[in-house]
Amino acid sequence: MRFAIVNLGCKVNRVESDAITAALLAAGGSEAAPTDADLIVVNTCTVTGEAEKKTRKAVHRALRANGHARVVVTGCAAAIDAAGFEAMDPRVETAAKGALLEELAGRAVSTRPVLRVGGAFPTRVGIKVQDGCDNACTYCIVHVARGRAWSRDADEVIDEAVAYARAGVREIVLSGINLGSYCWGDLTLAGLLERLLAATADQATSGEPCVRFRISSIEPKDVGDDLVALLASAEGRVCRHLHLPLQSGSSKVLRHMARPYDAGEYCTLVDRLRAAVPELSLSTDVIVGFPSEGEDDFAATLDVIRQCAFSKIHVFPYSRREGTPAADRVDQVRPEIKADRARRLRELAFRLRSADRARRSGTSELVLVETAGKATTESYFEVEAPAGAVPGALVAVVLPTPPLAVQVPAK
Ligand code: SF4
């Protein structure tokens, strides 16, 4: 059976799509272009109104790709509106991911990735350790689509990581919808990482660096003293790079978003992190033009962002998502104001990124070689890979002075 997987959305979806691919390969299938596939799986995203539109387009494209393929729609958008997708065409079916994997693989499997035995490993592998979310941010539908938070058995996660490390993987990304809420018995995310470090410490050929772990994204309220201490002491085996969603630097807007912190608490956390881990690279997500956001709120966001000196900012103009409390608010921000704030924030983000990269010039970092000539630093900057370095290897590089920034990207 020839199959194609269309992946949309977040890193957790990516890991789950890889699991679906691995299960189909293990069941004797082969990957093909959508035009030649007997089965097209669309792993959807519904985080914003925009994401929902992209998802529907992807399903239409899958239907047009060829006239006979079975089109299976799974993931967050399918969980929210299965009937809407099934009404698109008789060839469309919807399925929950766990059930889909069981059916495709012909046996019961979890939505965890399966080692592609004998196949080429991607340079970086994701392990999903958590799913669902117990928060209720007012712009978000993901906690509805994914349900309550749950965590994977720590022993199962460790076995999987050890298997990847033995197979030569040098960077493992821990992912989850609300990763920081990981909890297995009395084990927190920091506790899980400590066990992972210990279990994989002997999985390196002599002279080579050990596998390292990266935290995909963590909510500010979940960064505890144990995690800060681990980042400070693990000598880079837990990448000194955190993606710490801010969403707004205005305490008023954060309250309207039902985010469980205010701007001052966020800045205090960043100060604490920077004091303990001076090399830390911080990235974030910011929503601009959330309902009720005035110019003074946006100015507060810019202030917080300057203070936190992020190395990367994902800027999202607020996009109404039906079914969320924020979508029904009457104080929506006009599109041209949202676009203007997004542009101003992206300019600041670009300047801060250039400044952080320049600050790192002349320092040494272990980089993960992605392809011939291209590598990613621990701090998550792209650099040139040393000549002859093999994709997937971790090698030390002294960061060169970057070329002068010539333009601010439009998006
Ligand atoms: S933390 Fe908030 S934004 Fe993130 S998945 Fe949970 S409810 Fe959604």
Side-chain angles (χ1 to χ4, degrees):
M1 189 245 303
R2 289 161 304 173
F3 67 90
I5 312 283
V6 180
N7 185 69
L8 296 135
C10 65
K11 283 183 182 155
V12 176
N13 260 21
R14 180 70 267 158
V15 173
E16 290 166 346
S17 286
D18 288 348
I20 294 169
T21 302
L24 281 163
L25 290 172
S30 58
E31 286 182 86
T35 41
D36 301 322
D38 309 307
L39 167 72
I40 304 175
V41 178
V42 186
N43 191 7
T44 63
C45 173
T46 186
V47 67
T48 60
E50 267 314 298
E52 178 81 16
K53 266 190 227 156
K54 278 190 194 156
T55 281
R56 283 179 196 280
K57 270 192 201 154
V59 176
H60 279 299
R61 259 200 310 276
L63 285 166
R64 279 198 310 269
N66 74 53
H68 67 274
R70 186 181 156 203
V71 176
V72 177
V73 182
T74 188
C76 292
I80 295 287
D81 184 21
F85 286 104
E86 283 168 5
M88 284 167 81
D89 190 281
R91 277 194 291 141
V92 173
E93 299 162 41
T94 55
K97 264 174 247 186
L100 174 66
L101 273 163
E102 269 183 42
E103 188 222 309
L104 296 178
R107 62 196 162 93
V109 289
S110 67
T111 50
R112 69 195 175 91
V114 181
L115 278 173
R116 295 190 199 190
V117 180
F121 284 93
T123 54
R124 179 184 291 108
V125 172
I127 298 184
K128 181 173 129 183
V129 304
Q130 184 279 337
D131 203 343
C133 179
D134 293 340
N135 296 337
C137 302
T138 58
Y139 51 83
C140 177
I141 196 99
V142 174
H143 58 283
V144 180
R146 294 261 179 182
R148 310 248 340 148
W150 59 271
S151 300
R152 270 182 69 201
D153 183 330
D155 291 333
E156 202 183 291
V157 173
I158 289 161
D159 287 351
E160 200 177 325
V162 169
Y164 280 135
R166 273 200 192 124
V169 171
R170 285 291 165 262
E171 185 171 309
I172 294 175
V173 183
L174 298 190
S175 65
I177 293 299
N178 191 355
L179 179 63
S181 71
Y182 181 86
C183 174
W184 188 257
D186 53 11
L187 210 62
T188 59
L189 181 65
L192 175 69
L193 277 161
E194 272 175 33
R195 285 192 55 192
L196 284 165
L197 293 183
T200 54
D202 58 351
Q203 296 300 328
T205 324
S206 82
E208 276 185 7
C210 254
V211 61
R212 73 183 179 192
F213 294 86
R214 195 178 280 281
I215 298 168
S216 65
S217 174
I218 186 162
E219 286 293 319
K221 78 174 172 59
D222 296 325
V223 181
D225 289 343
D226 53 354
L227 188 63
V228 178
L230 185 65
L231 281 165
S233 65
E235 297 177 344
R237 287 206 61 211
V238 179
C239 289
R240 284 160 287 197
H241 166 243
L242 283 187
H243 186 80
L244 199 64
L246 168 66
Q247 308 303 10
S248 173
S250 154
S251 295
K252 178 199 89 184
V253 173
L254 287 169
R255 218 170 34 249
H256 291 170
M257 290 174 165
R259 302 283 294 167
Y261 53 87
D262 64 23
E265 285 164 344
Y266 188 97
C267 292
T268 302
L269 170 63
V270 169
D271 288 347
R272 195 153 59 89
L273 279 162
R274 295 231 184 261
V277 194
E279 316 86 332
L280 188 71
S281 166
L282 275 178
S283 57
T284 196
D285 297 326
V286 178
I287 297 172
V288 293
F290 185 81
S292 85
E293 185 191 76
E295 194 53 36
D296 51 341
D297 297 305
F298 181 62
T301 297
L302 295 179
D303 280 348
V304 169
I305 283 169
R306 277 187 210 100
Q307 195 178 325
C308 294
F310 295 107
S311 60
K312 182 154 183 132
I313 304 174
H314 299 274
V315 179
F316 299 95
Y318 170 70
S319 158
R320 289 178 73 225
R321 178 62 182 81
E322 291 305 328
T324 60
D328 295 333
R329 289 185 67 121
V330 291
D331 46 2
Q332 302 288 327
V333 174
R334 292 209 310 274
E336 64 275 19
I337 295 180
K338 282 194 257 190
D340 179 60
R341 288 180 189 161
R343 181 190 54 75
R344 285 153 65 197
L345 183 49
R346 285 185 182 125
E347 282 177 8
L348 175 60
F350 184 76
R351 282 201 299 277
L352 290 175
R353 181 166 177 77
S354 303
D356 191 55
R357 175 61 187 81
R359 207 168 26 241
R360 292 174 191 277
S361 299
T363 63
S364 174
E365 288 192 31
L366 278 184
V367 303
L368 181 72
V369 182
E370 308 279 0
T371 55
K374 204 180 112 190
T376 309
T377 64
E378 180 187 339
S379 52
Y380 226 57
F381 283 95
E382 207 175 275
V383 290
E384 211 174 293
V390 185
L394 275 181
V395 289
V397 161
V398 175
L399 272 66
T401 304
L404 281 179
V406 285
Q407 60 171 44
V408 176
K411 272 200 95 184

